[in-house]
Amino acid sequence: MDERLITVEKPSTPSNFIKNVITEDLKSGKVQKVVTRFPPEPNGYLHIGHAKAIWINFALAGEFEGATNLRFDDTNPLKEDVEFVRSIEEDVTWLGYEWAEKRYASDYFDEMYNRAVLLIKKGKAYVDDQTADQIRETRGTLTEPGQNSPYRDRSVEENLELFEKMRSGEFKDGEKVLRAKIDMASPNINLRDPVIYRIAHATHHNTGDKWCIYPMYAFAHPLEDAIEGVTHSLCSLEFEDQRPFYDWVIQECEMESTPHQYEFGRLNLAQTLTSKRKLKLLVDEKIVDGWDDPRMPTISGLRRRGYTPEAIRNFVYETGISKSQGLVDLQMLEHFIREDLKLKAPRTMAVLRPLKVVITNYPEGQVEWLEAENNTENPDMGTRQIPFSREIYIEQDDFMENPPNKYFRLFPGNEVRLKNAYFIKCHDFVKDENGQVTEIHCTYDPETKSGTGFTGRKVKGTIHWVEASHAVPAEFRLYEPLIKAEETDAPAEENEAETAEKSFLDEINPNSLEVLHGFVEADMKNAKPQDKFQFFRHGYFNVDSKYSAPGQPVFNLVVSLKSSFQLPK
């Protein structure tokens, strides 16, 4: 099934403060063409939070006939890998966006080095011999100023010589750093002589072993924006305190282009982790089946589970663009995939926990083919033929030996309708040595065939089924949220200790995955990876792209059929 048959594109971004700024900048002539960028670090897979950042950058630029670059901020070779580069490209493309140019921070390493040398010559940067712990300890607090480094007043000549030796590999990792020389008493801690270069004897995925010093992200990022002619540098709210340093770098490095940074509230989804380190820990500890596990909030995980790009785009559109941080209900994301699939997904029958039914008065060896609609809300999807015979499978919970009141499914003496088929009535059942019902015996009424206009007696229950001789064995994977509590990731987590990082593992839901084995209709044997279906009474399912094989489909539960969630008006 083509995921792009029905595309629901919003004509423009909703009214927001960034859109107003861009409108005014174009009107005043301050900006001739809008240029934005999406700048992920290739140290993990993109997640649902990135989808919002992607949409904001691409949609705003596109709305004003501008351009968006895809830029990999690859300044830390110890954590980055070409695998992550490829996955990011795939995710952005799958979401439906095209970048104007693909760039890397490493494309500009020579220029960044030259700008760092310029800062040294201007007396705006110095080489520091202190360890990372010493720098941290002398940084000060929100209420107390920091302490000057004993190496802060080195001469320009000495700093230039030491920085060149750092570049040539004469020092070990952590032995020296280059710091910007700003103000250790600044009320903004980010301006207290931040480190702008560190030593890392590591092979870079793009530049190999050319460099053994690498710029820090906070220094590299504004330079990249300026070099690329970015007009509006859009980032999430936790970078707001970094903006003064962003502007300092642009000014002191004497960049010709002057981009401006604007911050928006990031997407926080209830019961959803969006920390790359935590997600990586889940992968490393084998709690999940890789970055694309359908329980993961990664774009690749959502894609494998069965989410569509249209549903994700519509979801992030609805969350809007604002300055405030908010917590979004997970049911809101689920609402949009239901809305997207209800007219796209063929409706069929699947039995997840099978119980055999023998229709004792149906002729042995006979198979008839019944007609069923593929989607009652979308007649254009046509009909299909489904087999019916003496033996079928139903769900285990569609039969009870001693039912409670208002139970309208099968029990001894009760009659139900088989969807798209006949009325059947239970008259007997078989148990095993453990007292479990293993087989039900029923009779059918040939006058009650679906579609014949039968107007006789009424029954209150309708159940689904799969004919036994043509049934296709299938595996079904049912998912719950990976996190038990209402856990999300606060920006402050960047400074958490490793022990605190692992504490969230206590909140992992042990029931996040349930694997069942049952049957689907005969024509499902040709289902292909990423095909999506609505299984009657169960929900929307997607053919798994990793474990499905021809004739042996594996289905991931995308979302249940119903929810009490409603979009705010």
Side-chain angles (χ1 to χ4, degrees):
M1 183 180 65
D2 188 346
E3 291 183 345
R4 299 177 185 273
L5 286 177
I6 302 175
T7 301
V8 185
E9 275 289 4
K10 301 296 182 181
S12 64
T13 58
S15 178
N16 62 82
F17 72 99
I18 299 177
K19 185 174 180 178
N20 294 340
V21 167
I22 294 175
T23 300
E24 185 58 35
D25 286 348
L26 289 169
K27 182 179 178 181
S28 67
K30 180 180 178 181
V31 170
Q32 304 302 315
K33 178 183 178 181
V34 176
V35 179
T36 64
R37 80 291 170 269
F38 174 60
E41 182 182 0
N43 63 350
Y45 281 58
L46 299 183
H47 54 64
I48 186 63
H50 291 113
K52 181 169 184 174
I54 293 170
W55 166 70
I56 289 175
N57 279 283
F58 280 90
L60 282 171
E63 186 174 344
F64 291 95
E65 298 184 351
T68 301
N69 292 339
L70 174 62
R71 183 175 71 227
F72 296 98
D73 267 316
D74 54 347
T75 58
N76 187 354
L78 297 174
K79 295 184 177 181
E80 297 157 356
D81 193 275
V82 68
E83 172 195 352
F84 301 132
V85 171
R86 291 170 180 163
S87 73
I88 290 168
E89 291 177 357
E90 180 180 6
D91 289 346
V92 174
T93 301
W94 178 77
L95 283 171
Y97 299 105
E98 296 182 11
W99 52 85
E101 297 181 30
K102 182 173 69 174
R103 302 287 186 90
Y104 296 84
S106 53
D107 294 340
Y108 315 127
F109 279 174
D110 288 287
E111 180 68 16
M112 292 176 188
Y113 178 84
N114 292 336
R115 298 292 171 167
V117 169
L118 173 63
L119 291 179
I120 294 174
K121 290 179 177 180
K122 293 173 64 174
K124 298 291 185 178
Y126 63 95
V127 175
D128 196 346
D129 295 1
Q130 293 184 109
T131 65
D133 288 339
Q134 289 172 329
I135 292 174
R136 191 179 303 111
E137 290 167 1
T138 58
R139 194 182 186 193
T141 67
L142 293 175
T143 57
E144 297 178 355
Q147 303 170 33
N148 285 349
S149 165
Y151 307 98
R152 195 174 194 266
D153 295 324
R154 275 175 164 156
S155 68
V156 169
E157 291 73 22
E158 185 180 6
N159 282 319
L160 288 173
E161 180 182 357
L162 289 172
F163 191 48
E164 178 58 34
K165 288 182 177 180
M166 287 172 61
R167 179 183 182 178
S168 62
E170 295 186 32
F171 303 115
K172 299 177 182 177
D173 291 3
E175 194 171 345
K176 296 185 188 299
V177 295
L178 183 68
R179 297 177 69 177
K181 190 175 185 179
I182 308 178
D183 182 5
M184 289 301 292
S186 172
N188 187 332
I189 293 181
N190 296 292
L191 295 179
R192 295 180 186 173
D193 292 10
V195 174
I196 59 175
Y197 263 91
R198 81 286 204 192
I199 301 170
H201 291 273
T203 300
H204 189 280
H205 74 95
N206 222 18
T207 60
D209 295 319
K210 177 180 178 180
W211 296 91
C212 63
I213 58 170
Y214 293 93
M216 302 297 290
Y217 172 84
F219 176 69
H221 187 72
L223 295 179
E224 296 158 25
D225 285 349
I227 293 169
E228 293 178 13
V230 169
T231 57
H232 299 81
S233 182
L234 311 179
C235 58
S236 49
L237 202 56
E238 59 263 34
F239 291 98
E240 185 174 28
D241 290 341
Q242 288 278 3
R243 194 196 320 151
F245 182 61
Y246 180 100
D247 294 339
W248 184 92
V249 171
I250 297 294
Q251 178 180 340
E252 296 298 339
C253 287
E254 302 178 11
M255 305 305 292
E256 295 181 5
S257 176
T258 307
H260 293 274
Q261 177 177 302
Y262 301 92
E263 306 86 17
F264 56 85
R266 73 175 192 167
L267 176 61
N268 294 313
L269 199 59
Q271 289 184 269
T272 304
L273 295 171
T274 53
S275 159
K276 284 185 181 178
R277 283 191 311 283
K278 290 181 179 179
L279 296 177
K280 184 177 185 299
L281 190 59
L282 293 175
V283 174
D284 293 343
E285 297 288 329
K286 301 190 183 303
I287 294 172
V288 295
D289 178 30
W291 286 93
D292 66 345
D293 187 297
R295 292 166 291 176
M296 293 278 273
T298 54
I299 301 299
S300 58
L302 292 168
R303 178 167 62 246
R304 182 178 161 197
R305 182 161 176 171
Y307 276 79
T308 63
E310 294 86 356
I312 294 175
R313 290 199 305 266
N314 290 337
F315 165 67
V316 295
Y317 175 94
E318 193 64 35
T319 64
I321 304 172
S322 72
K323 272 277 191 180
S324 60
Q325 302 277 29
L327 185 64
V328 179
D329 194 323
L330 183 60
Q331 292 185 76
M332 184 175 175
L333 176 60
E334 294 174 343
H335 164 82
F336 281 102
I337 187 60
R338 286 191 192 93
E339 287 296 300
D340 191 53
L341 291 182
K342 70 180 181 181
L343 298 180
K344 293 181 180 179
R347 299 181 182 182
T348 183
M349 295 187 288
V351 175
L352 277 58
R353 298 174 176 87
L355 176 61
K356 180 173 284 191
V357 174
V358 178
I359 304 172
T360 56
N361 64 332
Y362 195 89
E364 292 189 41
Q366 176 176 310
V367 177
E368 64 177 301
W369 293 83
L370 308 174
E371 187 174 47
E373 290 183 281
N374 284 326
N375 191 321
T376 55
E377 293 186 62
N378 185 2
D380 291 342
M381 295 190 73
T383 61
R384 68 188 186 284
Q385 297 293 308
I386 55 176
F388 183 80
S389 70
R390 180 183 175 88
E391 295 186 356
I392 63 173
Y393 293 111
I394 67 169
E395 295 289 349
Q396 292 177 10
D397 60 6
D398 279 344
F399 172 82
M400 293 188 73
E401 181 181 358
N402 298 298
N405 290 333
K406 297 185 179 181
Y407 181 85
F408 300 121
R409 285 168 272 178
L410 270 181
F411 57 87
N414 192 46
E415 190 173 42
V416 300
R417 172 180 288 281
L418 295 177
K419 185 170 178 61
N420 299 314
Y422 299 94
F423 288 10
I424 61 171
K425 185 175 184 178
C426 176
H427 62 80
D428 195 10
F429 57 88
V430 177
K431 290 184 177 181
D432 62 16
E433 62 274 13
N434 298 317
Q436 298 295 317
V437 176
T438 58
E439 188 173 285
I440 304 172
H441 296 164
C442 297
T443 56
Y444 90 113
D445 184 345
E447 301 297 323
T448 60
K449 185 176 181 179
S450 180
T452 60
F454 175 74
T455 58
R457 64 192 179 280
K458 304 292 184 182
V459 292
K460 293 184 177 180
T462 298
I463 64 175
H464 63 280
W465 54 279
V466 173
E467 193 272 332
S469 65
H470 291 77
V472 177
E475 179 176 297
F476 306 92
R477 298 186 168 208
L478 311 184
Y479 301 102
E480 293 182 5
L482 195 58
I483 304 300
K484 291 183 292 186
E486 294 283 309
E487 169 137 353
T488 54
D489 301 310
E493 67 169 322
E494 297 295 335
N495 299 317
E496 291 176 358
E498 183 178 353
T499 53
E501 275 292 296
K502 292 192 175 183
S503 66
F504 86 97
L505 295 178
D506 296 334
E507 298 302 321
I508 296 298
N509 178 8
N511 302 313
S512 62
L513 170 63
E514 181 181 11
V515 178
L516 302 174
H517 294 89
F519 300 97
V520 291
E521 291 182 20
D523 63 345
M524 299 287 282
K525 65 182 178 181
N526 297 318
K528 301 183 296 298
Q530 296 301 113
D531 281 353
K532 295 164 180 58
F533 303 90
Q534 183 194 116
F535 291 159
F536 184 64
R537 287 174 49 205
H538 286 303
Y540 292 98
F541 284 75
N542 181 59
V543 181
D544 187 77
S545 56
K546 182 174 287 189
Y547 295 120
S548 287
Q552 298 176 312
V554 175
F555 294 94
N556 295 320
L557 173 64
V558 184
V559 67
S560 61
L561 287 177
K562 295 181 179 180
S563 170
S564 59
F565 176 81
Q566 292 185 341
L567 285 176
K569 296 181 179 179

